[in-house]
C-alpha cells in the first residue's frame, strides 16, 4: 500500500473570513472553535501508513491556521518534527492578516514556500466586506513576495472572478510579484451539503458555478497573455477533482478527531473515519483513484 506523504492538517475550522462558497459549512466555521487534539494528532502521525521520509510534507490548514497564534502553530510543528523529523512543513493561509511571526516562520520552518487562496468575488470579511478582503490580500501578498517568500496562489475560479476579467488578476500578479498561480475549478459546496449525492465510486457529485468552457477560456487567456509569458509566471490549471489523480497519498487530519483523504472532503461525514486503519480498510482511496483514472480516459 502506498504510504501517505501529503499530510493536510486542519488545525481548526474557525476562520477570520466568511466566504460564502467555502467547502467548510458556515455553521461549522462559526460554531466549531475547538483545535485539533494533540494526542490524537500524534497518534495519527505515528501510524505505519505515514511515510517517515523527506518526501512527506505537513501542510497546516484550517479554517485559518494563523488564528491559532504563533505558540499554537509552533506546538503542532514541534509534534510533527518530533515524530517525523525528516518531514517538510508549509502552510495554507488566506493572508487576510500577516503578523511578523508568520513571516518569520515562513522563512525558516517553511523554507520560504507557502500557499494562499484567492477569488475576485465571494471572499469577504466576517462583516461581509469584499473590498476590505481584496485590499488586505493584495497588500499582504506583496509583503510576502518582498520578504523573499514564494507563495503559490490557489485561485478559486468562480464565475465572479471570470466576469471580473483576466486583467484584474494579471494586475495583482504585476503588483505583488507572486509568480506561482494555480486555478481550481470552483464548485458549489453548499448545494452538495444540502443534498449529498455520491457517484458509483463514492465520490461527491459536485456542480461548478461556471461552465468548463468559461473556466478554460479564462485560464487559456491568462496563459497566453504576453506579460505573463514574458515574466515566466507559472499558470497551473486544476480542473478535475482538485488533484484527484494524486489523491492516493493524501491524508487529512481534522479537528473533530477524524481523518479523510482529500482536504476538500474533510467535513463530509460520510467520508470521515475515526482512525487511519478504518480509512485504509474502507478502500476509499482506491475507489477515488479508479474514478479519477476513468475520468481521464
Amino acid at each position: 500500500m502506498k504510504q501517505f506523504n501529503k499530510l493536510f492538517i486542519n488545525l481548526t475550522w474557525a476562520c477570520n473570513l466568511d466566504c460564502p462558497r467555502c467547502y467548510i459549512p458556515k455553521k461549522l466555521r462559526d460554531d466549531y472553535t475547538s483545535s485539533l487534539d494533540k494526542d490524537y494528532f500524534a497518534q495519527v502521525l505515528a501510524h505505519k501508513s505515514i511515510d517517515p521520509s523527506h518526501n512527506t510534507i505537513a501542510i497546516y490548514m484550517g479554517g485559518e491556521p494563523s488564528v491559532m497564534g504563533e505558540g499554537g502553530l509552533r506546538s503542532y510543528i514541534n509534534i510533527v518534527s518530533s515524530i517525523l523529523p525528516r518531514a517538510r512543513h508549509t502552510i495554507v493561509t488566506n493572508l487576510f492578516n500577516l503578523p511578523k511571526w508568520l513571516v518569520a516562520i515562513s522563512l525558516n520552518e517553511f523554507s520560504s514556500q507557502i500557499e494562499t487562496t484567492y477569488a475576485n468575488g465571494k471572499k469577504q470579511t466576517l462583516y461581509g466586506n469584499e473590498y476590505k478582503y481584496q485590499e488586505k490580500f493584495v497588500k499582504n501578498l506583496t509583503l510576502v513576495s518582498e520578504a523573499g517568500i514564494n507563495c503559490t496562489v490557489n485561485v478559486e475560479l468562480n464565475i465572479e472572478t471570470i466576469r471580473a476579467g483576466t486583467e484584474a488578476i494579471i494586475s495583482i500578479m504585476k503588483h505583488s510579484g507572486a509568480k506561482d498561480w494555480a486555478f481550481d475549478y470552483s464548485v458549489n459546496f453548499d448545494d452538495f451539503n444540502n443534498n449529498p449525492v455520491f457517484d458509483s465510486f463514492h465520490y461527491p457529485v459536485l456542480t461548478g458555478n461556471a461552465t468548463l468552457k468559461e473556466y478554460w477560456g479564462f485560464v487559456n487567456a491568462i496563459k497566453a497573455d504576453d506579460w505573463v509569458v514574458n515574466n515566466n509566471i507559472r499558470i497551473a490549471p486544476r480542473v478535475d477533482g482538485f488533484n484527484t489523480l494524486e489523491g492516493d497519498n493524501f491524508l487529512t487530519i481534522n479537528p473533530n478527531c477524524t481523518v479523510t483523504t482529500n482536504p476538500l472532503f474533510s467535513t463530509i461525514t460520510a467520508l470521515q473515519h475515526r482512525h487511519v486503519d478504518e480509512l485504509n480498510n474502507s478502500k476509499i482511496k482506491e475507489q477515488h483513484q479508479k474514478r479519477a483514472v476513468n475520468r481521464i480516459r
Side-chain angles (χ1 to χ4, degrees):
M1 178 181 293
K2 187 173 183 178
Q3 290 184 299
F4 298 108
N5 61 20
K6 285 191 177 179
L7 309 180
F8 299 91
I9 303 162
N10 281 322
L11 301 180
T12 177
W13 279 321
C15 192
N16 54 1
L17 293 176
D18 183 20
C19 305
R21 293 214 178 99
C22 183
Y23 67 93
I24 303 173
K26 178 174 173 55
K27 182 173 176 57
L28 203 55
R29 299 195 308 270
D30 290 347
D31 297 347
Y32 198 97
T33 57
S34 298
S35 55
L36 176 60
D37 181 84
K38 293 185 174 75
D39 290 336
Y40 176 81
F41 182 44
Q43 175 189 339
V44 172
L45 293 178
H47 196 275
K48 62 185 179 181
S49 294
I50 307 293
D51 182 352
S53 77
H54 68 278
N55 292 323
T56 292
I57 184 165
I59 306 166
Y60 304 96
M61 304 174 58
E64 171 51 40
S66 69
V67 302
M68 304 289 296
E70 179 179 9
L73 179 56
R74 285 190 182 278
S75 67
Y76 290 96
I77 294 173
N78 291 340
I79 292 173
V80 175
S81 297
S82 66
I83 299 173
L84 301 169
R86 300 177 67 191
R88 296 166 290 133
H89 307 257
T90 191
I91 193 171
V92 180
T93 173
N94 58 36
L95 288 182
F96 185 64
N97 291 318
L98 185 64
K100 291 181 179 179
W101 62 261
L102 184 54
V103 174
I105 287 179
S106 298
L107 287 168
N108 299 310
E109 282 81 355
F110 302 154
S111 302
S112 300
Q113 176 64 59
I114 66 172
E115 297 191 27
T116 190
T117 57
Y118 175 75
N120 197 352
K122 298 298 182 182
K123 296 274 278 187
Q124 61 192 36
T125 70
L126 295 176
Y127 304 101
N129 190 326
E130 289 195 8
Y131 174 81
K132 191 67 174 178
Y133 160 76
Q134 295 288 336
E135 180 184 53
K136 294 192 69 174
F137 175 83
V138 175
K139 175 186 174 183
N140 289 332
L141 180 60
T142 303
L143 290 173
V144 162
S145 298
E146 290 174 348
I149 299 165
N150 184 57
C151 182
T152 299
V153 183
N154 298 290
V155 179
E156 179 197 347
L157 194 46
N158 55 27
I159 190 62
E160 292 79 13
T161 303
I162 292 171
R163 287 172 178 166
T166 57
E167 189 53 43
I169 283 189
I170 292 173
S171 176
I172 298 175
M173 293 175 180
K174 292 176 179 178
H175 186 279
S176 68
K179 289 183 172 292
D180 201 1
W181 296 73
F183 289 81
D184 291 319
Y185 183 53
S186 177
V187 299
N188 298 316
F189 281 100
D190 278 351
D191 290 351
F192 175 84
N193 290 328
N194 291 332
N195 182 32
V197 177
F198 298 85
D199 64 17
S200 59
F201 297 99
H202 206 52
Y203 194 92
V205 177
L206 302 167
T207 58
N209 56 68
T211 66
L212 285 174
K213 182 179 179 180
E214 289 170 319
Y215 170 92
W216 281 113
F218 188 94
V219 171
N220 287 333
I222 290 265
K223 291 174 68 176
D225 181 85
D226 288 342
W227 183 89
V228 170
V229 172
N230 293 335
N231 286 274
N232 298 315
I233 307 300
R234 189 183 81 91
I235 305 298
R238 289 202 300 239
V239 69
D240 184 33
F242 305 90
N243 285 334
T244 305
L245 280 173
E246 300 177 12
D248 60 340
N249 61 349
F250 287 8
L251 181 70
T252 303
I253 309 169
N254 301 312
N256 65 343
C257 294
T258 62
V259 289
T260 51
T261 52
N262 195 312
L264 294 179
F265 304 159
S266 61
T267 65
I268 299 177
T269 304
L271 298 178
Q272 293 177 338
H273 298 275
R274 297 296 296 178
H275 306 288
V276 178
D277 283 334
E278 183 181 297
L279 184 149
N280 287 337
N281 292 336
S282 75
K283 302 299 181 183
I284 196 68
K285 282 198 307 176
E286 291 79 5
Q287 289 183 61
H288 287 183
Q289 189 71 4
K290 288 179 183 177
R291 184 262 191 188
V293 171
N294 285 352
R295 282 287 298 273
I296 295 299
R297 284 174 179 165

